[in-house]
Amino acid sequence: MNNLDKRRFAASHGVSDEEYERVLEVLGREPSMTEIGVVSAMWSEHCSYKSSRVHLKKFPTTGPQVVQGPGENAGAVDIGGGLAAVFKMESHNHPSYIEPYQGAATGVGGILRDVFTMGARPIASLNSLRFGAIDHARTPYLFHGVVGGIAGYGNCVGVPTVGGEIYFDASYNGNILVNVFTVGVCKKDEIFLGVARGVGNPVFYVGAGTGRDGIHGATMASAQFSDQTEEKRPTVQVGDPFREKLLLEACLELMKTDVIVGIQDMGAAGLTSSSVEMADRGKLGIRIDADKIPVREENMSAYEMLLSESQERMLIVVERGKEDAIARIFDKWELEWAQIGEVIAEQRFEVYEKGELACDLPVSLLTSAAPQYDRPRKRPAYLDALKPAVIDAPDDLGQAFVELMASPNICSRASVYKQFDHMVGIGTVVRPGMGDAAVVRIPGTEQALAITVDCNSRFCYLDPREGAKLAVAECARNISCVGATPLGITDCLNFGDPTHPEVMWQFSEAVEGMSEACIAFDTPVVSGNVSLYNASFDKDIYPTPTVAMVGNFSRLLEGPGRAQGYCDASFKGEGDRVVLFGRTDTNDIGGSEYLWTRAAQLGQRPPRLDLELEKAVQRLVRDSIAQGLLLSAHDCADGGLGVTLAECCIGAEGHALGLNIEMDIDTIARADLFLFCESPSRIVVSVREADLSALVSQAEAAGVPSTVIGTVTALPRLVWPGVLDLPTGDLQHAHKHGLSRLDA
Amino acid sequence: MQRARVLIRNKPGVFDPQGKVVHSGLRRLGHESVQDVRVGKVIDLRFASGSPDELRARIERMCSEFLVNPVIEDYTIQFLDEE
Amino acid sequence: MKVAVVVFPGSNCERDCEHVLENVIGASVVRAWHRDHELPKVDCVVLPGGFSYGDYLRAGAVSKISPIMKAVSEFAFSGGPVIGICNGFQVLLECGLLPGAMLRNRSLRFVCKDTFVRCATERTPFTSGLSLGEVLKLPIAHAEGNYYVDAEELRALQDNDQIVFQYTSGDGEANDGANPNGSIFNIAGVCNRAGNVLGMMPHPERAAEDVLGNSGGAALFASIIHTL
């Protein structure tokens, strides 16, 4: 291949002319084909964060609770008892659009490895999924594939999938989002890092053999979809959850020995990125003999082996002289293993193929010297074209209510989470559908974590800064509603094409909004992931900065049922009183599901967030739960107060109750807007009649507006005299069957 | 090189949920002429040597020991052209 | 009481079973590895749930040829109590220690949810602490739990009092609406003729502690102690 061909080859793998010049300059020579492959992968958006890094620096990442901040395979926070919660969220958007089952499955596999490579046994997963419009031709195929893939992988490995979120919007017709989150737990002083230390220490490859699957996956995830995307199918990786489970057990067993110097999973850009990143963190180099890499296909070149994204593989630097442990443990678990190289003093990434040096690059070229761009930003013109919401009151409020309950973005997700093993591990205290956040007991302890994931991308489209703030606020609210205290977040920043200045503006705004909210809630960003080029045919998705939050319980979980340290969302019994904390502003209709489903409008602005009020509401609810005052707590989110009340009545187990709303309708101008606007910072709680006055005075003392909504009834009807009278069963039926059209 | 193929299907009378779903899918696509669908498994085996008779006996043993669950499954053995 | 929990590659409920046996029931637990040729000296054997060998070929099919299963079979033939839960049940079927086979769920989907099961016999060491007709709420989590036997075998199961659990409504009625996977005769669990080997799809270990909101499943494990 001549030099011009090389340049073209590099360009076809996403290395621009300018970037190629930079390679020549640093290297002082023409790179080999293999080297071009390595550079293109490491300089891809996916690996280098070249367009996002300047913005990500703004995130708050420190705090007394932070055990491990960004930059490692996952982040970690102190959860007390000498333990750390290790967690991260990852996107697998592009692979899942091309092959939904395998794309989603391998996404789960990747995030599980990111967590157990730190020494933490995964205890729970969440997912955040976004599909095109529910009536778009491709949506059912993508939906069933993704759900099946998550179930197929997670269930087999035996990590419970305990919650998540699903949205349908035409913005994702050509580019779905599959974000997966896993949290694990380990002793906080026993965290393993992805670092190569000790010149001469052997480098081991463990797990499954390397095939040609996924070659240049990282590059694929760093370009827009086009007509040619379908042809990229062969690069999709196939997951083997059984092998993953063995790898998990083998790695955790190895971690009980004292042989590991550093360990890292082979994710995007496979062996290349794992070696280079480990070398970079240790400020050393790695030399690899490609002929020793376990392969499962014949005649593979070093190029292919370095860039393959075959799944279920890890790289381990072992202390010299202690190599035997690898053979003993990985043979026991029937996994491939091989010593493929060693740590070297020179800060270089060297790969030998048949005795020849096929790749000889300075580590810094692939890491610190990788390009970084502060791409142009421009406030999008569409923002000025947004119009205020115009929506008439419905003739039949009850009918409108029932229709809203059936909306694909609001209806029950039971048909999905029933396909996920959400109970394996016997830790799931608050199950999917039961509460605002999942509550998971930590095995072998009386401690528990609360986890949740959220983003409303319509809000982010209307105002990325406010939308991102609202996402963090809702996560913290969800955590508070089960009684836990927010500790930290991870994120998936899913955005469009970064070469569009409007997209980079959205990105920058969202990062700033998230940062502000994270500071307010004292939830540093400890890990995360950026997914750009979520666009098809030049149409960018809605900005979607998905946030996942972890919280813990200041008190130990004491037992089941009510008022013992945690709360779920459903009303408990007749005569209990229902109170709303927070303020309802019927102008907060922009971006709401009600406005969209009834009027197909977005409105002009998202709901207004008052961070101080939000914090006060959350603290009040947490304190009240800790005191045992509350019987249930459920925040107002999609569909507003109305949907929240309906969900509280329906309950998770199907023992529907009713509610008698006792508010004076004369003070409310528009009942529909009151019920369905989406003002944040609102939580609906229920208490025993005897505790009502104590609760109301606590709210007053905390400076939180409270409104007595009404009384829980055994008769399963939602009644607001003169306004509404609906059987809970009608709401429940609509809610239950909202996704059934995907099965048609 | 001898190649053999074991085809495994649910026995007649044993419910085949996959077959049922595939059948209704085909009908939805307008292939109404399809009367019945059964979905099975294919296991391809390669042998260095061996006569078909000898191999058949060996494969039958593999099937009864391991490859097939006789409570619900039937199988047939085919020999493929030599490579 | 000493219990062996058998671990195959891909088992994923062994830790859950161990936790309940040790911390809820107070038994001592030893692990048996699939490649072991002998069981430790124990009073009871548990085959936990999971995806042994990834459920490849058929659920439980590869595990049945593990060396440990010979030892488990001998233990069972000598009258030792053996319980297979979910994937463990599938392994017992594949081994022929229990009659029948599993088909894919009629929905073709994995299903994870609470079910109600009725105890149809208290003659096994695992149900001796239950009363006949007692209804338990136990979760299931499987894709292949659609139990199948032919008509003749079903009659034999009935005649020999081998049906241990049936899926029912909350008030104990074994109707189709309560059948989560299409199992013949709503069967959720069966035992061998002698009654010492039980296989069941629901997970009693997932319903054995108050903190999970349901402790009804603990009775199965507690029964063994009382039987011994």
Side-chain angles (χ1 to χ4, degrees):
Chain A
M1 189 177 274
N2 66 34
N3 290 345
L4 186 62
D5 286 344
K6 277 186 183 169
R7 195 176 282 257
R8 283 201 196 109
F9 178 76
S12 74
H13 288 82
V15 180
S16 69
D17 245 13
E18 203 175 277
E19 290 172 346
Y20 196 78
E21 289 300 330
R22 190 183 180 119
V23 176
L24 292 182
E25 190 190 312
V26 175
L27 226 46
R29 62 174 167 83
E30 286 287 334
S32 70
M33 282 276 293
T34 304
E35 288 169 339
I36 293 173
V38 166
V39 170
S40 77
M42 291 305 294
W43 284 15
S44 69
E45 194 65 60
H46 196 79
C47 290
S48 71
Y49 293 83
K50 60 187 168 190
S51 304
S52 57
R53 203 171 275 228
V54 297
H55 302 287
L56 301 177
K57 286 177 188 153
K58 296 175 199 157
F59 277 144
T61 58
T62 55
Q65 72 270 46
V66 176
V67 177
Q68 176 65 55
E72 268 292 338
N73 288 292
V77 294
D78 190 335
I79 54 170
L83 300 176
V86 176
F87 58 95
K88 193 182 182 193
M89 185 155 52
E90 272 266 340
S91 60
H92 235 212
N93 305 337
H94 294 80
S96 302
Y97 185 76
I98 294 173
E99 196 343 275
Y101 186 97
Q102 292 298 344
T106 53
V108 174
I111 196 65
L112 289 170
R113 286 193 297 284
D114 277 337
V115 168
F116 74 72
T117 189
M118 305 277 290
R121 181 178 283 276
I123 63 166
S125 295
L126 303 172
N127 50 70
S128 168
L129 312 176
R130 281 171 176 76
F131 300 98
I134 197 160
D135 51 4
H136 185 264
R138 210 169 151 78
T139 296
Y141 162 74
L142 292 167
F143 172 83
H144 290 300
V146 166
V147 170
I150 293 171
Y153 207 101
N155 295 353
C156 181
V157 177
V159 176
T161 301
V162 296
E165 54 165 10
I166 303 173
Y167 282 94
F168 299 88
D169 192 289
S171 160
Y172 307 102
N173 279 354
N175 194 125
I176 63 173
L177 301 184
V178 175
N179 294 175
V180 286
F181 162 97
T182 291
V183 61
V185 171
C186 64
K187 292 198 175 128
K188 71 175 178 185
D189 52 3
E190 292 182 4
I191 287 180
F192 288 83
L193 300 179
V195 62
R197 290 218 172 89
V199 172
N201 276 335
V203 175
F204 280 88
Y205 169 117
V206 300
T210 296
R212 290 191 170 87
D213 45 346
I215 290 175
H216 275 302
T219 319
M220 183 178 86
S222 306
Q224 269 200 41
F225 277 130
S226 65
D227 284 331
Q228 284 84 51
T229 308
E230 290 279 329
E231 290 164 24
K232 294 191 176 170
R233 250 172 211 277
T235 65
V236 166
Q237 315 96 307
V238 173
D240 180 353
F242 168 58
R243 194 94 21 204
E244 176 100 342
K245 169 69 172 164
L246 303 186
L247 189 59
L248 161 71
E249 295 300 336
C251 287
L252 291 180
E253 194 170 322
L254 186 72
M255 284 163 174
K256 288 190 195 134
T257 69
D258 62 347
V259 313
I260 299 176
V261 174
I263 176 166
Q264 173 147 342
D265 109 87
M266 294 189 213
L271 184 55
T272 294
S273 69
S274 53
S275 316
V276 168
E277 286 174 14
M278 287 179 84
D280 186 50
R281 292 193 194 102
K283 301 200 165 33
L284 293 169
I286 281 186
R287 176 182 297 144
I288 284 173
D289 182 351
D291 301 320
K292 294 194 174 142
I293 296 170
V295 290
R296 57 175 160 74
E297 291 185 58
E298 288 168 14
N299 302 320
M300 286 189 67
S301 65
Y303 178 92
E304 290 170 319
M305 289 189 263
L306 287 174
L307 296 172
S308 159
E309 291 187 7
S310 290
Q311 298 290 295
E312 295 92 23
R313 306 178 301 159
M314 311 279 274
L315 198 66
I316 309 178
V317 176
V318 169
E319 207 177 308
R320 191 162 37 165
K322 295 182 175 173
E323 294 88 346
D324 289 355
I326 295 274
R328 180 167 50 81
I329 291 169
F330 286 84
D331 280 345
K332 172 186 165 186
W333 290 100
E334 300 175 35
L335 291 163
E336 303 257 14
W337 62 269
Q339 184 178 333
I340 62 164
E342 62 177 328
V343 179
I344 57 175
E346 307 77 38
Q347 294 179 35
R348 300 191 77 80
F349 179 49
E350 297 180 3
V351 182
Y352 285 84
E353 183 179 24
K354 300 190 177 68
E356 304 268 315
L357 195 53
C359 171
D360 179 18
L361 297 171
V363 169
S364 62
L365 171 74
L366 304 169
T367 55
S368 52
Q372 272 196 43
Y373 300 121
D374 189 356
R375 294 190 186 272
R377 301 190 290 278
K378 192 179 141 213
R379 187 173 181 275
Y382 75 79
L383 289 172
D384 298 320
L386 294 169
K387 292 192 187 71
V390 182
I391 181 165
D392 296 331
D395 296 336
D396 183 341
L397 182 62
Q399 185 56 32
F401 198 167
V402 169
E403 283 168 18
L404 189 60
M405 290 297 285
S407 148
N409 292 334
I410 284 180
C411 67
S412 168
R413 272 73 180 113
S415 65
V416 174
Y417 62 70
K418 278 182 185 166
Q419 294 179 61
F420 302 147
D421 190 340
H422 51 266
M423 301 189 217
V424 62
I426 51 172
T428 316
V429 175
V430 173
R431 296 180 189 177
M434 272 175 65
D436 286 17
V439 176
V440 184
R441 171 183 61 166
I442 298 163
T445 75
E446 295 297 318
Q447 288 176 259
L449 295 178
I451 52 177
T452 186
V453 60
D454 184 76
C455 178
N456 185 318
S457 63
R458 256 185 230 142
F459 294 170
C460 294
Y461 179 73
L462 294 172
D463 185 337
R465 180 182 293 257
E466 289 303 307
K469 261 195 237 174
L470 284 160
V472 178
E474 182 170 348
C475 279
R477 203 182 312 132
N478 289 341
I479 297 285
S480 301
C481 280
V482 295
T485 307
L487 280 180
I489 73 155
T490 180
D491 59 67
C492 267
L493 305 176
N494 310 277
F495 286 77
D497 188 331
T499 64
H500 298 165
E502 293 82 359
V503 167
M504 285 318 295
W505 183 86
Q506 291 172 331
F507 189 88
S508 157
E509 287 287 301
V511 166
E512 286 179 14
M514 267 176 67
S515 299
E516 188 188 338
C518 284
I519 290 166
F521 298 109
D522 188 21
T523 52
V525 181
V526 298
S527 60
N529 160 255
V530 175
S531 173
L532 301 176
Y533 296 98
N534 291 291
S536 57
F537 303 105
D538 236 30
K539 191 156 166 27
D540 297 304
I541 60 159
Y542 283 172
T544 315
T546 309
V547 178
M549 190 178 282
V550 173
N552 72 342
F553 287 82
S554 56
R555 306 199 320 167
L556 305 182
L557 281 178
E558 287 173 359
R562 57 186 209 181
Q564 286 181 327
Y566 70 91
C567 242
D568 65 23
S570 51
F571 290 154
K572 298 299 180 291
E574 184 173 17
D576 295 336
R577 304 302 300 275
V578 176
V579 179
L580 171 68
F581 292 143
R583 209 177 289 126
T584 302
D585 176 355
T586 53
N587 292 312
D588 284 333
I589 198 73
S592 69
E593 191 64 22
Y594 180 66
L595 182 61
W596 181 254
T597 52
R598 283 204 72 79
Q601 293 172 29
L602 288 171
Q604 199 164 30
R605 63 160 181 89
R608 285 197 213 285
L609 174 66
D610 173 347
L611 282 170
E612 288 311 311
L613 173 63
E614 179 78 61
K615 280 160 62 179
V617 169
Q618 292 181 14
R619 198 178 310 115
L620 172 65
V621 166
R622 284 198 302 271
D623 291 349
S624 311
I625 292 172
Q627 291 165 34
L629 273 179
L630 301 189
L631 301 171
S632 71
H634 189 11
D635 84 326
C636 298
D638 308 84
L641 175 65
V643 168
T644 296
L645 295 174
E647 287 173 347
C648 292
C649 288
I650 292 168
E653 298 263 306
H655 301 304
L657 293 166
L659 174 68
N660 201 23
I661 299 178
E662 292 148 15
M663 285 179 302
D664 184 0
I665 184 63
D666 295 337
T667 63
I668 294 162
R670 282 271 299 267
D672 63 325
L673 298 184
F674 183 79
L675 285 172
F676 307 130
C677 76
E678 297 187 6
S679 298
S681 321
R682 294 183 299 162
I683 296 174
V684 169
V685 302
S686 64
V687 288
R688 282 171 290 258
E689 169 76 47
D691 293 329
L692 180 65
S693 59
L695 187 72
V696 170
S697 23
Q698 281 198 13
E700 212 172 288
V704 169
S706 68
T707 314
V708 176
I709 298 276
T711 308
V712 179
T713 59
L715 179 75
R717 292 188 85 87
L718 206 65
V719 180
W720 191 355
V723 182
L724 197 68
D725 184 358
L726 267 178
T728 308
D730 288 5
L731 295 162
Q732 187 172 13
H733 185 267
H735 192 245
K736 185 175 177 184
H737 297 289
L739 293 183
S740 54
R741 72 184 103 167
L742 288 165
D743 292 324
Chain B
M1 192 76 71
Q2 273 281 3
R3 295 197 302 150
R5 174 166 289 173
V6 184
L7 290 171
I8 303 170
R9 276 164 300 200
N10 279 8
K11 280 179 175 172
V14 173
F15 181 51
D16 173 15
Q18 287 190 82
K20 199 175 159 211
V21 166
V22 172
H23 193 193
S24 62
L26 288 171
R27 291 184 87 95
R28 267 210 306 277
L29 289 169
H31 300 289
E32 271 150 34
S33 55
V34 178
Q35 290 295 301
D36 189 29
V37 176
R38 293 172 67 205
V39 175
K41 276 187 278 220
V42 174
I43 299 179
D44 282 347
L45 304 166
R46 282 199 298 176
F47 297 89
S49 62
S51 72
D53 281 352
E54 187 190 348
L55 291 178
R56 181 175 294 278
R58 263 153 64 187
I59 295 169
E60 277 170 357
R61 231 182 80 208
M62 293 176 204
C63 286
S64 64
E65 279 176 351
F66 183 41
L67 297 180
V68 174
N69 182 340
V71 179
I72 43 173
E73 293 171 330
D74 268 344
Y75 66 95
T76 55
I77 300 170
Q78 298 172 352
F79 286 94
L80 309 176
D81 294 337
E82 287 194 21
E83 272 176 350
Chain C
M1 181 175 71
K2 201 167 167 190
V3 181
V5 174
V6 179
V7 182
F8 301 98
S11 297
N12 67 24
C13 299
E14 72 278 15
R15 294 154 53 84
D16 300 356
C17 289
E18 284 166 9
H19 170 76
V20 170
L21 286 163
E22 283 178 345
N23 302 325
V24 180
I25 305 300
S28 73
V29 176
V30 283
R31 278 199 188 183
W33 181 238
H34 71 118
R35 276 197 223 154
D36 296 346
H37 289 264
E38 277 174 40
L39 276 173
K41 206 174 146 32
V42 289
D43 305 303
C44 173
V45 172
V46 175
L47 305 185
F51 286 71
S52 60
Y53 289 96
D55 274 2
Y56 299 149
L57 190 61
R58 295 178 306 278
V62 186
S63 299
K64 80 168 172 182
I65 58 176
S66 289
I68 192 69
M69 285 316 295
K70 256 203 182 117
V72 171
S73 296
E74 282 161 19
F75 181 82
F77 287 133
S78 68
V82 176
I83 180 172
I85 300 164
C86 198
N87 191 235
F89 185 13
Q90 292 162 338
V91 174
L92 291 172
L93 294 171
E94 282 285 339
C95 291
L97 282 171
L98 292 174
M102 285 299 172
L103 300 170
R104 291 182 71 176
N105 296 347
R106 64 181 161 183
S107 66
L108 290 183
R109 287 183 182 160
F110 188 97
V111 58
C112 175
K113 64 172 191 175
D114 281 330
T115 61
F116 291 102
V117 295
R118 186 181 61 206
C119 173
T121 177
E122 355 69 309
R123 76 184 180 103
T124 81
F126 305 97
T127 53
S128 59
L130 302 175
S131 48
L132 187 64
E134 187 174 341
V135 175
L136 298 174
K137 183 164 86 171
L138 297 178
I140 55 165
H142 58 248
E144 286 181 53
N146 181 349
Y147 181 75
Y148 173 82
V149 281
D150 62 23
E152 194 182 335
E153 188 70 50
L154 179 61
R155 259 194 313 279
L157 289 177
Q158 291 168 310
D159 293 347
N160 298 314
D161 196 17
Q162 285 176 261
I163 298 168
V164 183
F165 291 109
Q166 279 181 290
Y167 298 108
T168 63
S169 59
D171 46 17
E173 202 184 322
N175 53 34
D176 194 55
N179 190 335
N181 51 27
S183 289
I184 195 163
F185 204 58
N186 279 39
I187 287 174
V190 295
C191 63
N192 60 350
R193 281 199 188 193
N196 63 312
V197 179
L198 167 66
M200 61 190 294
M201 289 313 289
H203 286 271
E205 81 280 12
R206 295 186 182 186
E209 291 171 278
D210 285 336
V211 69
L212 300 178
N214 180 1
S215 57
L220 274 88
F221 301 105
S223 291
I224 318 167
I225 293 193
H226 300 307
T227 309
L228 290 170

